[in-house]
Amino acid sequence: MNSDGLRQHREGLTTSHHDWTMIQVGKLVEHQKVITIDANASIEDACEVLLKHGISSAPVYNAESNTYVGMFDYSDLMTYILIVLKRMDVPLEDQTMEMRDLVQKTNSCQNVPVKLASDLSGKDPFCTVLTESRLGAVVNDFGTGIHRVAVIDSNGSVAGLLSQSSTLDYLLRHLSEFPQLQPVMQQTLQQLGLASSKVLYVNGDAQVLEALIMMSKHSVSSLAILDDQGILLGNVSMTDIQHIMKDLKTSWLWLSCFQFVARIRQLQGVERGEDQYPVLDVSATSTFGYALSKLQATRVHRLWVVNDMGLVVGVVSLTDVFKLLSTLLNS
């Protein structure tokens, strides 16, 4: 939509078609049950909250000060694990007071409260928007690499969490109401410049711990798993840590990535009665709409672009998707 169209928009105008950029984000989190983590809970108990509710992050709330002190997610957990195993060195000048306290407690085998580990990775800090903020502005934020925002109501409470995934799901479910989005859905990834990019990967025989170190080093949430010929074998992501924390299967950190993916597939088969491990690839000629539908259906954060020989030649992440949408919005 051009800038004239945005200026001509009048709030309250109701037709069968809507300007999606002007939707208030509070609408997207209506009736959402907000799961919070007590700031004094142990990291293990915080992980239990994520596992119990099937979520990847939650706000950390300090009842004593009546404030939210940050977010806790699997990226923070990964950083914590690497610090505990002494596989991650943080320069002293880069250490926060909380991080120094965490390291001290870890080294002396004391219980570590989750408030010390919230936002530990520094990758997804606690970002907030108001319920009346416009969706177009949040999409711009998501295009910069922010993965989620906390939506704050007039009382200063968290009304809900709005993530890249939930926003994509909303846009696709209501796509028929947003005609200005439909033309780009028919274009291919190649036409949009999304078909080739640098791919970060590990070989199938690399240890899971090595993959976590690499994800932390490069500030990414997942890696492709390739064989010696560059064929896609699977995917390892930060959220896979949940399978390690469940029943504390820490020995899985030393499995090969290929063995790890095989164990996860086996677990999902037992729990759900079938092989639920999704196929995470698309081709350069896949349409943008097809790629978005696949991201929505698999609930992953990135898809690997493969050529006719099955070689991985690129990656399309949710951040790439929102960067493209924000470019269209700003044009």
Side-chain angles (χ1 to χ4, degrees):
M1 169 169 287
N2 59 35
S3 57
D4 290 338
L6 287 177
R7 283 195 295 267
Q8 290 167 4
H9 176 85
R10 294 291 180 271
E11 191 171 359
L13 181 67
T14 55
T15 65
S16 57
H17 294 154
H18 305 285
D19 179 357
W20 65 273
T21 67
M22 302 301 286
I23 295 170
Q24 294 188 358
V25 295
K27 180 178 174 62
L28 277 68
V29 297
E30 283 179 337
H31 314 302
Q32 185 183 115
K33 181 182 178 183
V34 179
I35 306 299
T36 59
I37 299 174
D38 188 301
N40 293 312
S42 68
I43 291 179
E44 291 75 16
D45 287 343
C47 290
E48 280 298 316
V49 172
L50 299 184
L51 288 167
K52 178 182 177 182
H53 296 281
I55 54 179
S56 60
S57 63
V60 178
Y61 182 71
N62 188 332
E64 296 169 6
S65 60
N66 194 30
T67 57
Y68 295 97
V69 298
M71 295 285 291
F72 180 71
D73 61 14
Y74 287 120
S75 177
D76 299 318
L77 176 60
M78 179 182 72
T79 303
Y80 172 71
I81 289 173
L82 294 180
I83 289 175
V84 168
L85 296 177
K86 302 189 187 314
R87 297 299 184 95
M88 182 180 184
D89 293 321
V90 182
L92 192 60
E93 61 271 18
D94 293 338
Q95 293 184 14
T96 62
M97 191 186 309
E98 290 81 9
M99 186 179 291
R100 291 174 190 170
D101 196 6
L102 180 147
V103 171
Q104 183 181 8
K105 287 182 180 296
T106 299
N107 290 339
S108 57
C109 299
Q110 296 180 51
N111 195 36
V112 179
V114 70
K115 63 184 176 185
L116 297 181
S118 66
D119 301 330
L120 182 63
S121 69
K123 296 180 180 67
D124 252 331
F126 187 63
C127 297
T128 63
V129 296
L130 300 176
T131 52
E132 60 267 28
S133 299
R134 304 297 180 178
L135 184 54
V138 174
V139 164
N140 271 327
D141 291 339
F142 286 160
T144 67
I146 293 173
H147 295 137
R148 61 174 176 262
V149 292
V151 181
I152 305 298
D153 63 21
S154 57
N155 298 317
S157 300
V158 175
L161 294 180
L162 186 61
S163 66
Q164 289 179 328
S165 296
S166 60
T167 301
L168 175 66
D169 181 66
Y170 177 84
L171 290 175
L172 291 181
R173 283 190 293 108
H174 296 272
L175 189 59
S176 61
E177 300 170 26
F178 311 136
Q180 65 269 47
L181 280 178
Q182 292 168 21
V184 72
M185 297 295 172
Q186 306 308 315
Q187 294 185 262
T188 67
L189 298 180
Q190 195 162 37
Q191 289 172 325
L192 295 170
L194 297 174
S196 60
S197 55
K198 183 180 179 182
V199 175
L200 292 173
Y201 68 92
V202 289
N203 289 111
D205 56 1
Q207 284 186 340
V208 173
L209 185 57
E210 292 176 43
L212 296 186
I213 293 171
M214 189 172 178
M215 280 189 271
S216 176
K217 179 181 177 181
H218 293 281
S219 297
V220 296
S221 60
S222 62
L223 299 169
I225 304 174
L226 308 182
D227 68 9
D228 293 335
Q229 283 73 47
I231 303 294
L232 183 66
L233 298 176
N235 178 90
V236 59
S237 73
M238 266 186 281
T239 55
D240 290 331
I241 295 177
Q242 64 183 287
H243 300 290
I244 294 171
M245 295 308 295
K246 200 172 183 179
D247 304 322
L248 293 176
K249 294 188 280 286
T250 52
S251 62
W252 283 26
L253 288 168
W254 284 269
L255 291 176
S256 73
C257 288
F258 185 73
Q259 291 172 320
F260 183 60
V261 169
R263 295 277 181 96
I264 293 175
R265 288 177 176 174
Q266 185 180 30
L267 271 179
Q268 290 174 333
V270 169
E271 292 172 0
R272 303 175 189 175
E274 57 181 314
D275 187 355
Q276 292 281 334
Y277 201 82
V279 180
L280 302 175
D281 63 298
V282 287
S283 71
T285 56
S286 298
T287 65
F288 187 57
Y290 174 80
L292 297 197
S293 294
K294 197 160 194 175
L295 284 166
Q296 178 192 33
T298 56
R299 299 187 65 78
V300 297
H301 293 171
R302 64 191 61 208
L303 297 171
W304 309 102
V305 184
V306 299
N307 62 18
D308 293 339
M309 296 182 290
L311 300 176
V312 179
V313 295
V315 58
V316 179
S317 68
L318 282 173
T319 297
D320 294 328
V321 168
F322 285 102
K323 190 181 298 183
L324 178 68
L325 292 178
S326 64
T327 300
L328 295 176
L329 173 65
N330 294 324
S331 65

